[in-house]
Amino acid sequence: MDFPSPKSNIEKLHTYKPNFGKSKINNLIRLSANESALGASLNAIKALKIFSNDLNRYPPQVSDELVSAISKRYSLNKKKIILGNGSDELISILAQTFLNYNDEAIYTEFGFLQFPQAISIAGALGVVANDVNHTASVDNILSKISKKTKLIFLANPNNPTGTFITKNEVIRLHESIPKHILLVYDAAYSEFVINDDYTDGSELVEKYENVIMLRTFSKLHGLASLRLGWGYASENIIENLMKVRGPFSVNAAAIMAGVAALEDLEFQKKSVQHNLKWMSWLEKELKLLNLDFKSSITNFLLIKFPVELDYSAENAESFLASKGILVRGMKVYGLSNYLRVSIGTREENIKFINELKTFFRK
Ligand SMILES: Cc1ncc(COP(=O)(O)O)c(C=O)c1O
């Protein structure tokens, strides 16, 4: 070979491709990335405006200010918190830290795409546990455990399905796995959840060594552009992850905005209320259009489209794009009859439904 070739497991992978649009229309309505409908906290924006000092300085390796703010906001132990460049970074370093070449890691059939990606990059073998009704199945996950299993990745609620398993099911899963297997419990959308029978996983972390909860500032807090996520796990796990994480992977702007966002309880409350209101409105409108969808406790909805070509998900995606509305095609997840749509502002949601009505009238 006369060129440098990557490891064979990397060669087989595809680069992650979000739908941020190719349309020439200005002011695109972006309902394709589960972002915050209401932007970000004004406090966070203000914090960034005064962010000009010390640009020449490296950020702290671990910001005590941000860790303390997280600990205060969510009543958690400071010593168990790790910060990351988005929770994506934490997913990658978990795979790199715990997986050897011959190890296996389990992820769910319609689970978040970064899980199989991170497992493959680490050079380990991803093992799929089938969903039941587009929802993670504890029994199917347990049936995939082998002597080689080191990690189990579970997003709860899950992206792109929006579905979740109950707290009792999460406890049953955890109780049934051997202590040497680490449960990676990704609760990226937990702040939108109001259901009593849900757990964000932190209570398991308080008691056990083999669970890590992952969280993000990209969804409820609306800081996706700054790349800020965090994890909650035993001190031993955090210490090992810190050996692998880039030394300065969380930048100073993200730290400042993160602290300000956490303090803005008003914005958080408003965003949750907005999401609940427009989710139920969207569900009602989709029913009127006779469209099937997965009941979602997140800020997005997975909508099923008819198989007839004219009204297919692919055609709907192109039609909406031609009207300046971006939604997420689900082919990469093996769900080609579906589109995933995030809750937007009032105006965006209404425009989305109006254009969808036009699409079906065509
Ligand atoms: C389930 C889940 N986990 C993690 C992430 C990544 O979040 P971050 O922006 O913090 O990397 C996402 C983003 O879409 C997600 O849906």
Side-chain angles (χ1 to χ4, degrees):
M1 215 173 289
D2 53 2
F3 56 89
S5 63
K7 296 188 287 187
S8 57
N9 48 317
I10 305 293
E11 234 164 357
K12 281 185 239 140
L13 292 175
H14 298 286
T15 308
Y16 183 82
K17 287 196 185 75
N19 181 10
F20 292 167
K22 289 173 223 117
S23 171
K24 291 193 181 69
I25 298 174
N26 287 330
N27 300 323
L28 284 175
I29 293 177
R30 190 152 109 183
L31 304 178
S32 57
N34 307 342
E35 292 153 338
S36 159
L38 302 184
S41 153
L42 286 180
N43 293 3
I45 295 166
K46 240 186 265 162
L48 287 176
K49 281 196 177 137
I50 56 162
F51 173 75
S52 54
N53 292 336
D54 295 335
L55 279 182
N56 56 323
R57 304 289 177 205
Y58 285 99
Q61 260 184 307
V62 179
S63 161
D64 189 52
E65 202 192 351
L66 180 54
V67 167
S68 298
I70 292 172
S71 148
K72 186 168 157 225
R73 170 67 181 84
Y74 298 106
S75 310
L76 299 174
N77 179 350
K78 272 172 69 169
K79 293 193 179 139
K80 292 183 165 190
I81 295 170
I82 182 171
L83 304 175
N85 189 266
S87 44
D88 277 349
E89 183 192 35
L90 297 174
I91 292 167
S92 300
I93 65 171
L94 274 157
Q96 287 162 37
T97 306
F98 288 95
L99 297 175
N100 282 309
Y101 256 91
N102 259 331
D103 290 338
E104 292 178 2
I106 298 170
Y107 62 98
T108 61
E109 186 181 5
F110 300 119
F112 185 44
L113 269 187
Q114 290 303 320
F115 301 152
Q117 188 87 354
I119 297 164
S120 300
I121 291 168
L125 187 68
V127 177
V128 188
N130 283 347
D131 278 9
V132 173
N133 195 16
H134 296 91
T135 307
S137 155
V138 169
D139 290 325
N140 289 347
I141 294 172
L142 293 175
S143 76
K144 294 293 174 185
I145 293 179
S146 79
K147 285 204 178 80
K148 293 182 179 173
T149 310
K150 290 286 290 291
L151 296 179
I152 295 174
F153 285 96
L154 176 69
N156 201 35
N158 181 51
N159 171 20
T161 54
T163 56
F164 79 111
I165 62 170
T166 62
K167 176 174 166 170
N168 285 345
E169 280 295 88
V170 175
I171 293 172
R172 182 166 80 87
L173 170 66
H174 178 261
E175 277 174 352
S176 313
I177 62 178
K179 292 199 168 55
H180 69 273
I181 296 179
L182 176 62
L183 175 62
V184 180
Y185 188 82
D186 182 346
Y189 299 92
S190 58
E191 281 117 331
F192 289 108
V193 182
I194 54 159
N195 307 43
D196 289 337
D197 57 350
Y198 171 77
T199 177
D200 69 6
S202 53
E203 59 198 301
L204 286 177
V205 177
E206 300 300 3
K207 288 196 238 154
Y208 304 103
E209 292 272 328
N210 64 336
V211 189
I212 180 164
M213 167 181 77
L214 299 183
R215 301 283 286 267
T216 179
F217 281 80
S218 301
K219 308 300 172 184
L220 182 80
H221 294 293
L223 298 180
S225 70
L226 294 175
R227 313 304 303 122
L228 184 59
W230 54 283
Y232 194 59
S234 73
E235 285 180 62
N236 181 40
I237 289 179
I238 300 296
E239 200 181 304
N240 281 301
L241 292 176
M242 281 304 287
K243 296 176 192 165
V244 181
R245 201 204 73 168
F248 306 108
S249 69
V250 177
N251 69 73
I255 291 168
M256 282 187 88
V259 171
L262 285 169
E263 284 168 0
D264 193 347
L265 298 180
E266 206 45 50
F267 175 79
Q268 294 163 39
K269 202 167 131 199
K270 199 166 129 197
S271 298
V272 171
Q273 292 309 326
H274 174 91
N275 192 59
L276 290 171
K277 175 180 163 184
W278 287 98
M279 181 62 83
S280 66
W281 179 84
L282 198 60
E283 286 179 350
K284 203 175 76 224
E285 292 292 326
L286 292 171
K287 277 185 194 149
L288 290 174
L289 279 168
N290 273 329
L291 283 172
D292 200 7
F293 54 85
K294 292 279 129 201
S295 184
S296 167
I297 59 166
T298 61
N299 67 336
F300 59 86
L301 202 57
L302 188 66
I303 306 171
K304 190 171 186 189
F305 281 74
V307 277
E308 295 94 73
L309 198 57
D310 280 354
Y311 299 121
S312 68
E314 195 174 352
N315 275 356
E317 185 185 349
S318 315
F319 177 81
L320 290 166
S322 75
K323 304 292 176 189
I325 301 172
L326 298 179
V327 296
R328 186 75 153 103
M330 288 282 106
K331 258 194 194 147
V332 278
Y333 280 93
L335 291 165
S336 40
N337 294 337
Y338 291 80
L339 294 178
R340 191 194 66 199
V341 181
S342 320
I343 297 292
T345 61
R346 176 183 185 277
E347 293 69 28
E348 289 171 343
N349 299 328
I350 292 172
K351 181 153 166 60
F352 165 70
I353 285 293
N354 284 342
E355 294 300 355
L356 207 55
K357 284 180 185 161
T358 310
F359 171 73
F360 281 111
R361 270 201 300 267
K362 274 191 302 136

